[in-house]
Amino acid sequence: MRFDVITLFPELFAPHFVHGVTRRAFESKQIDVRLWALRDFGDPPHSRVDDRPYGGGPGMVLLAQPLERALAAIRADRAEDAPAPLVNFSPAGESLRQSVVAEFASGSGAILLCARYEGVDQRFIEHRVDRELSIGDYVLSGGELPALILLDAVARLQPGVLGDSRSHEQDSFSAGLLDCPHYSRPTTLDADHGGASVPEVLLSGNHAAIDRWRRDRALTLTITRRPELIARARADGQLTGPDEAALLRSTSSKL
Ligand code: 4FV
């Protein structure tokens, strides 16, 4: 799949494509990222890409025309029948969730607009942008980090990227729940490190019991920290009888 990124700072991206498990997806071009420097499409004579907001006020706004030129160049270069969606990152967008990531991970890619300054001329958004995504209720200096977050989350879902595909089947949110706790060596920490031991069930080799224990811990943590996720999982029919029993136990134990 191909992602074209419109950005004022293309140099911010490359370091993220050569480290960690996702490197394989980028180097193998499973995720083919093309970077387009918005400055190359600026208004002559000084490649201007922003100007003051009409109506006054602080800051600058990204101009529509340089963005139109960049988009036209990308569409011509992609030359695809089904035009890829143009995505703008903004606090006003729909929240980026694992379900949205999964959509992109099974698609043909997208064009990612990384805004800067106060944002983008609204006419370009209304006329050209297909989808606005938010990574959270805070204001960033630019859309590059949100774009990298989407690319990272999509890359790790590509076949063969995570050593064991169960890894992402079991992750947080793919089951609509927070993840269970994880433990590794040693089975018991020494006293000055708290002396805590690993839950016995994890050493039992009884995988049905281990899966049940992990599911129950994920449910308990989720009902405590993100009860709205439990409501959504229940509404989506993702909770079984034993799940509801575990939730009852965890909520009644708190009473
Ligand atoms: C943002 C967010 C975000 C707003 C103005 C870029 C900045 C600047 N994008 N989730 N939160 N974007 O703060 O996605 O242009």
Side-chain angles (χ1 to χ4, degrees):
M1 66 182 63
R2 174 173 163 171
F3 287 90
D4 292 81
V5 180
I6 302 172
T7 172
L8 276 170
F9 303 106
E11 61 276 13
L12 285 175
F13 287 78
H16 297 274
F17 301 154
V18 293
H19 299 289
V21 289
T22 57
R23 190 180 72 198
R24 200 174 312 172
F26 297 113
E27 289 184 342
S28 67
K29 296 292 182 212
Q30 273 174 292
I31 307 266
D32 174 9
V33 180
R34 314 287 179 90
L35 303 170
W36 300 76
L38 181 55
R39 188 68 62 188
D40 297 346
F41 301 91
D43 287 350
H46 308 297
S47 291
R48 189 168 198 136
V49 297
D50 65 312
D51 208 331
R52 290 185 311 288
Y54 281 124
M60 302 293 266
V61 175
L62 280 181
L63 300 169
Q65 287 153 324
L67 290 168
E68 286 284 356
R69 287 192 285 268
L71 182 60
I74 293 168
R75 294 245 182 256
D77 193 61
R78 287 183 74 113
E80 60 209 333
D81 315 340
L86 174 60
V87 175
N88 180 41
F89 296 98
S90 157
E94 71 185 278
S95 294
L96 179 61
R97 274 180 229 297
Q98 194 67 17
S99 54
V100 175
V101 170
E103 271 181 58
F104 283 99
S106 55
S108 66
I111 301 169
L112 307 180
L113 171 54
C114 303
R116 280 270 157 176
Y117 315 116
E118 301 312 305
V120 174
D121 187 300
Q122 188 60 27
R123 293 166 293 181
F124 181 80
I125 292 175
E126 286 162 8
H127 187 206
R128 296 295 189 189
V129 169
D130 302 296
R131 197 165 189 181
E132 290 207 287
L133 294 176
S134 171
I135 62 165
D137 299 341
Y138 38 78
V139 182
L140 302 168
S141 62
E144 284 77 11
L145 291 174
L148 282 164
I149 285 169
L150 178 65
L151 289 169
D152 182 87
V154 168
R156 59 187 295 290
L157 296 183
Q158 299 311 302
V161 167
L162 295 182
D164 179 333
S165 68
R166 284 175 305 156
S167 300
H168 63 72
E169 280 138 23
Q170 285 179 8
D171 318 296
S172 300
F173 301 113
S174 46
L177 303 176
L178 299 181
D179 204 0
C180 62
H182 300 288
Y183 302 82
S184 186
R185 291 183 297 100
T187 53
T188 300
L189 293 171
D190 44 41
D192 53 16
H193 289 140
S197 295
V198 169
E200 280 303 315
V201 64
L202 299 178
L203 309 172
S204 68
N206 175 340
H207 289 291
I210 290 168
D211 291 348
R212 186 69 253 167
W213 180 88
R214 284 175 168 162
R215 178 81 173 174
D216 291 352
R217 296 305 298 273
L219 289 160
T220 304
L221 186 65
T222 307
I223 192 79
T224 308
R225 302 247 180 106
R226 301 287 305 280
E228 80 280 5
L229 294 176
I230 294 290
R232 183 177 308 125
R234 185 176 286 126
D236 300 349
Q238 288 181 335
L239 299 185
T240 64
D243 291 342
E244 296 291 358
L247 287 167
L248 213 53
R249 280 196 305 276
S250 79
T251 43
S252 54
S253 65
K254 288 192 184 53
L255 297 176

